[in-house]
């Protein structure tokens, strides 16, 4: 976590999140990242809902993750959101899961693209969303 | 499992299915039951897809489950499907998860209703589906 | 929800919770019920962790659910916990998922048993847990 | 998929896999990759189980994914496994999800490390596992 982090979501690790190795199953961190992005967008005053009426959807284009340490049952963790790049048709996020001592457990770069819901083709981000994010970035 | 079982789906328990207690997380058996119902319907020659064009959906109305023994990582299990009642607007299923020795691990009664997708109000089952199920029941 | 509700957990519906029908997947309500039970136990001053050192675990013995209305993406819901019966080796819970208007969406009775972790045989609840729950019930 | 693919697992997309966007939720492809790696290892004659007795576990160290096209409800897909590098303490996998026309929907590079279960520190792969993988690679 650093100066450019714009949003942080605290969350608890429940039984559903863990696996037989006693740690959080590796796919589940992607759920946490999505929850934090969603709440960041919501906090910006925009609803991240699939907007059937406006034929807009958001899909993850690509991502990379490094797993440094494992979260465990009952842990409280924080999920951070940083916007690395706000482009015309996509947003590059950097996100981390941190423990209560502020150590990074997992970190990821995630590119989210805005698409037409019917064709899955790229489209420009809704202008009010771009503006909200710009504002939250202090630009 | 018994004489009235009309369909059985074999499946493997993976890491994703387990929890920190070393056993299958209790919610995940509902996934297995759904997979088996879906394959039963498919085997009857009907596609269980959400049929937007025909405004038809299927929703679980109610269920009860008894957890007798736990499935564990790497286990092969079988998921059975029995149709207890084929009604005008719903189907009552009895389903079990069995281990390779034929012991019942989990058993459930699950009532699945047919609804209009837009209003979520009950509607009659598609006639070809009712007929396919009747046939598979030997009626 | 009623006078005997001892605990309520608010939670948000995220994309991970939904399915292609546009509603919460039916198995996921069991996750919410578990989260709420866990937080209820935690609020009672007890850690619901799998206690390897003390060879204690908690497993769901049986449950029944009625699905009345569907929760949808972005909804805020409340998950209630009521203790119907505190027995020597198990706890009977009644739990509901309610929307922000206080309507019950899903309701369930869930029996959670205390077992030896190694043998999965029933054992008496830890006495401090029983006492904490009794206190929270105003007994 | 290519000449170096050593294993392919077919699987069906069920309702549990999808989200309100009508497509497979982005985290769920990681489940498919794990299933295929597990079956590849099993087919090599080794059990990928958390080996408490031998204090061995396998954890994902890092990964990158590209999402090219979406899988949808009822689709049959294939999940491929290629071993890019078999090192002393880790394995680099390349994995893809392909549709029935052979098009790549999602592709990933996934580094799986072998660790001591108690300390989570790296350790050498079990020699019989290394040998089995080498053999399956035709080395």
């Amino acid at each position: 976590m650093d100066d450019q982090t714009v949003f942080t979501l605290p969350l608890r690790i429940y039984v559903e999140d863990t696996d037989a190795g006693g740690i959080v199953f590796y796919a589940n961190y992607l759920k946490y990242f999505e929850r934090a992005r969603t709440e960041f967008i919501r906090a910006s005053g925009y609803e991240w809902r699939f907007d059937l009426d406006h034929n807009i959807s958001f899909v993850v284009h690509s991502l990379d993750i490094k797993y440094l340490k494992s979260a465990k049952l009952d842990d409280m963790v924080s999920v951070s959101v940083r916007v690395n790049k706000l482009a015309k048709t996509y947003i590059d996020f950097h996100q981390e899961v941190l423990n209560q001592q502020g150590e990074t457990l997992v970190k990821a770069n995630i590119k989210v693209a805005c698409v037409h819901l019917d064709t899955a083709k790229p489209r420009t981000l809704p202008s009010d969303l771009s503006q909200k994010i710009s504002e939250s970035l202090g630009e």
Side-chain angles (χ1 to χ4, degrees), chain A:
Chain A
M1 200 147 59
D2 53 46
D3 288 358
Q4 293 167 297
T5 294
V6 290
F7 189 82
T8 303
L9 180 73
L11 58 86
R12 174 78 71 181
I13 306 302
Y14 293 109
V15 177
E16 69 190 72
D17 298 304
T18 61
D19 66 26
I23 57 177
V24 169
F25 181 61
Y26 84 129
N28 291 340
Y29 294 99
L30 272 64
K31 297 183 180 177
Y32 309 159
F33 290 135
E34 164 112 30
R35 292 183 204 172
R37 291 195 305 272
T38 300
E39 292 299 344
F40 160 63
I41 297 294
R42 195 189 319 280
S44 302
Y46 187 87
E47 287 288 304
W48 189 253
R49 198 180 291 265
F50 297 100
D51 197 337
L52 295 165
D53 295 341
H54 297 88
N55 193 25
I56 296 172
S57 187
F58 297 91
V59 295
V60 174
H61 169 276
S62 55
L63 59 88
D64 62 87
I65 299 191
K66 287 201 191 329
Y67 299 90
L68 308 176
K69 296 185 77 169
S70 298
K72 294 195 173 61
L73 187 62
D74 288 338
D75 283 355
M76 277 298 301
V77 297
S78 296
V79 189
S80 71
V81 179
R82 192 176 84 198
V83 175
N84 266 357
K85 185 176 177 186
L86 174 59
K88 203 179 156 197
T89 61
Y90 66 89
I91 310 172
D92 276 340
F93 290 99
H94 178 81
Q95 298 195 256
E96 302 194 358
V97 176
L98 304 110
N99 67 13
Q100 292 201 281
Q101 289 71 48
E103 286 177 291
T104 301
L105 305 180
V106 179
K107 59 184 177 181
N109 297 299
I110 301 176
K111 179 174 174 175
V112 177
C114 187
V115 298
H116 293 282
L117 185 62
D118 53 1
T119 62
K121 300 281 180 198
R123 51 151 289 155
T124 53
L125 291 162
S127 58
D128 53 340
L129 174 60
S130 296
Q131 196 178 328
K132 292 286 187 185
I133 293 177
S134 288
E135 285 167 13
S136 76
L137 299 176
E139 288 170 4

